Amino acid sequence: MNTQTAPSPQFYLTAPATCPYLPQEMERKVFTHMVGERAPELNDLLTQGGFRRSQNIAYRPACETCRACISVRIIAGEFSPTRSMRRILALNSDVVSAEYPAEPSSEQYSLFRRYLDHRHQKGGMSDMSVLDYAMMVEDTHVNTKIIEYRLKVEGDGIGKAKGPLIAAALTDKMADGLSMVYSYFDPDMSHRSLGTFMILDHIRKAKDRSLPHVYLGYWVKGSRKMDYKTKFLPQEHLMARGWERYTGESAATT
C-alpha cells in the first residue's frame, strides 16, 4: 500500500511594489500554485483563509505596515436586497444569465477590452491582449465557470441566449460558496448598475444551490472604489480571530 502523502504547497513572497489602491503604501503578496488533483480542495481552503485566485495562482496580501485589505464574503442565506437593489433587479429584468465552461470567446474579449479602456486605463490589466484574456479564463485547475449576461431577445428560453453580451463573470464554485474571480460589463450601460446586478445574481445562484457564501475578494478600507462591497449585508470579514460578522457602520440601507 502506498502511504506517501501529496506534497504540501510551497509559498513565496513577492518584492515590495506600490499599492494600486493606496498609493502611499507598499504592497507585498504571498502566493502559491494550485495545480493537479488537489487544486479544488486547496482553492477551498485558501479562499476561506483570505486568498484570491488568479489563473493557477492563489495569493493574499502580506504587507509589512498596512492591513487595509480585508477579505469579504456575503452571507447569502440571510441576504435581503435593499430598496435600491430591488430597483436594480427590476431595471435588469430583461437580462438573462447562463453558465458555460471556462472558455474564452472573441465576443467576451471585445467587451472586456471596452471595459478596461473605459474603466481601468491605467491599471495593471490595461494592456491585456486576447491571449492574456484567454489565459485568465482557461488557466484554472478548479471548478470555474464563465457566466454570460445577455439582453433578452425573442426566442430566448430554448438553447443558448441570443441577445447581445452586456456583462460576464469568471466564477469559482467551492464547497461553501461562489467566488467572484473577475467581472466586467458594458461601460455604456452604467445606468443599469451591472456590477451590482451581477453580485445580486450570484447571491441568488448561491441560495438556489444551498451554498452559504458569495466571496467578493478584498475590501480595501480607505479606497472609495471598493466601498460598494460593504453594501451587501449581512456579510463577514476575515479578521485576526477569523471570520467576523460585519453589520455596516455606514452602509446604505435604502
Side-chain angles (χ1 to χ4, degrees), residues 7-14 30-43 46 51-60 139-142:
S8 299
Q10 300 296 307
F11 291 87
Y12 307 90
L13 190 64
T14 65
V30 61
F31 68 95
T32 189
H33 296 273
M34 292 192 301
V35 295
E37 295 180 357
R38 292 188 61 205
E41 175 190 358
L42 186 59
N43 188 44
L46 292 178
F51 280 72
R52 291 289 284 165
R53 184 182 72 81
S54 177
Q55 297 178 221
N56 64 9
I57 298 291
Y59 68 91
R60 68 168 295 171
D139 194 2
T140 175
H141 290 250
V142 302

Side-chain angles (χ1 to χ4, degrees), residues 43-85:
N43 188 44
D44 281 11
L45 291 172
L46 292 178
T47 302
Q48 292 160 9
F51 280 72
R52 291 289 284 165
R53 184 182 72 81
S54 177
Q55 297 178 221
N56 64 9
I57 298 291
Y59 68 91
R60 68 168 295 171
C63 307
E64 296 176 359
T65 61
C66 179
R67 296 293 182 270
C69 293
I70 298 174
S71 293
V72 173
R73 66 184 186 187
I74 301 166
I75 305 174
E78 298 181 33
F79 176 81
S80 180
T82 63
R83 188 161 62 247
S84 62
M85 291 174 184

Side-chain angles (χ1 to χ4, degrees), residues 114-133:
R114 288 175 55 214
Y115 172 79
L116 289 183
D117 291 344
H118 188 270
R119 302 283 294 242
H120 300 284
Q121 293 179 349
K122 298 180 181 179
M125 303 173 71
S126 61
D127 59 350
M128 285 182 65
S129 67
V130 64
L131 179 58
D132 295 327
Y133 175 78

Side-chain angles (χ1 to χ4, degrees), residues 11-212:
F11 291 87
Y12 307 90
L13 190 64
T14 65
T18 301
C19 176
Y21 300 106
L22 303 174
Q24 72 276 16
E25 300 288 348
M26 299 296 289
E27 72 165 1
R28 299 191 78 177
K29 296 176 183 176
V30 61
F31 68 95
T32 189
H33 296 273
M34 292 192 301
V35 295
E37 295 180 357
R38 292 188 61 205
E41 175 190 358
L42 186 59
N43 188 44
D44 281 11
L45 291 172
L46 292 178
T47 302
Q48 292 160 9
F51 280 72
R52 291 289 284 165
R53 184 182 72 81
S54 177
Q55 297 178 221
N56 64 9
I57 298 291
Y59 68 91
R60 68 168 295 171
C63 307
E64 296 176 359
T65 61
C66 179
R67 296 293 182 270
C69 293
I70 298 174
S71 293
V72 173
R73 66 184 186 187
I74 301 166
I75 305 174
E78 298 181 33
F79 176 81
S80 180
T82 63
R83 188 161 62 247
S84 62
M85 291 174 184
R86 291 194 295 271
R87 287 196 294 266
I88 292 170
L89 288 170
L91 182 62
N92 291 287
S93 60
D94 59 344
V95 176
V96 292
S97 68
E99 298 181 22
Y100 300 100
E103 298 174 355
S105 70
S106 57
E107 187 181 21
Q108 290 169 18
Y109 178 71
S110 177
L111 179 61
F112 174 74
R113 187 69 262 167
R114 288 175 55 214
Y115 172 79
L116 289 183
D117 291 344
H118 188 270
R119 302 283 294 242
H120 300 284
Q121 293 179 349
K122 298 180 181 179
M125 303 173 71
S126 61
D127 59 350
M128 285 182 65
S129 67
V130 64
L131 179 58
D132 295 327
Y133 175 78
M135 291 294 291
M136 182 179 81
V137 174
E138 291 179 328
D139 194 2
T140 175
H141 290 250
V142 302
N143 187 0
T144 304
K145 301 293 184 182
I146 187 80
I147 304 177
E148 294 185 346
Y149 295 83
R150 296 177 180 273
L151 292 178
K152 289 180 184 177
V153 295
E154 186 176 353
D156 277 350
I158 302 176
K160 184 175 180 178
K162 304 175 183 64
L165 181 69
I166 63 171
L170 190 63
T171 301
D172 290 345
K173 181 181 178 183
M174 306 186 309
D176 74 327
L178 301 176
S179 177
M180 298 184 69
V181 177
Y182 194 80
S183 60
Y184 54 93
F185 52 85
D186 188 336
D188 294 331
M189 294 188 176
S190 58
H191 65 286
R192 286 182 174 268
S193 299
L194 289 169
T196 295
F197 174 70
M198 283 190 281
I199 295 175
L200 293 171
D201 186 61
H202 277 69
I203 296 171
R204 178 190 62 80
K205 292 178 187 297
K207 285 183 176 181
D208 289 346
R209 300 171 188 183
S210 298
L211 296 171

